[in-house]
């Protein structure tokens, strides 16, 4: 199988798996289960993966980690808005 | 920076960010927030990333996704044991 197609399928699956948490937080406006420290660690790691993808010139790595960064920045914004 | 070292740092950060959920589930023995469908989607995606890493011969991709698969299989086992 073409590696790029494989990477896009892999990235789509791991991206889909991230959506429910954000949807739940947006619906329930409850961020008790979210740790901003963990989100910052995760966003740092994902950003380095994007940089890795750019250095290696691998679009699936760049796209799926860029999506994941967007998801987790959204969670961080929710955390800032909804925290008590 | 060497791309492999960059990938290992990125993978370490994203792996660290996965640990708290498993620790929380093991401590509280509560899997109400876990969806086995989402876990299966995630494990499928991560397994395809491992295959992608093998095809591309990229150790950081293989290692970090293998760790993530182990974490999520552990969560799935917890789900099976602790679900009501």
């Amino acid at each position: 199988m073409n590696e790029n197609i494989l990477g896009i399928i892999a990235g789509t699956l791991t991206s889909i798996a991230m959506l429910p948490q954000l949807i739940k937080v947006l619906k329930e406006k409850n961020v008790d289960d979210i740790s901003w420290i963990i989100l910052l660690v995760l966003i740092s790691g994902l950003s380095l993966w994007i940089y890795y993808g750019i250095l290696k010139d691998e679009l699936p790595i760049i796209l799926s980690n860029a999506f994941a960064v967007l998801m987790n920045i959204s969670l961080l914004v929710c955390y800032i808005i909804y925290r008590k």
Side-chain angles (χ1 to χ4, degrees), chain A:
Chain A
M1 195 198 297
N2 180 293
E3 287 149 2
N4 276 329
I5 296 171
L6 174 65
I8 294 291
I9 297 171
T12 304
L13 290 175
T14 47
S15 297
I16 287 171
M18 265 178 269
L19 279 171
Q21 193 192 8
L22 182 60
I23 293 168
K24 189 168 182 262
V25 165
L26 286 171
K27 261 190 189 165
E28 301 179 359
K29 303 191 195 324
N30 181 341
V31 290
D32 292 347
D33 289 335
I34 290 179
S35 154
W36 64 269
I37 300 171
I38 290 300
L39 280 179
L40 287 184
V41 172
L42 190 53
I43 290 165
S44 310
L46 294 166
S47 304
L48 289 182
W49 276 123
I50 296 173
Y51 183 41
Y52 176 94
I54 291 168
L55 289 182
K56 289 268 197 183
D57 197 20
E58 292 181 39
L59 201 60
I61 304 274
I62 298 168
L63 288 180
S64 62
N65 287 289
F67 181 82
V69 163
L70 278 179
M71 286 290 102
N72 286 289
I73 286 176
S74 306
L75 280 176
L76 197 58
V77 171
C78 287
Y79 178 84
I80 292 162
I81 296 173
Y82 298 137
R83 82 196 144 141
K84 279 152 203 155

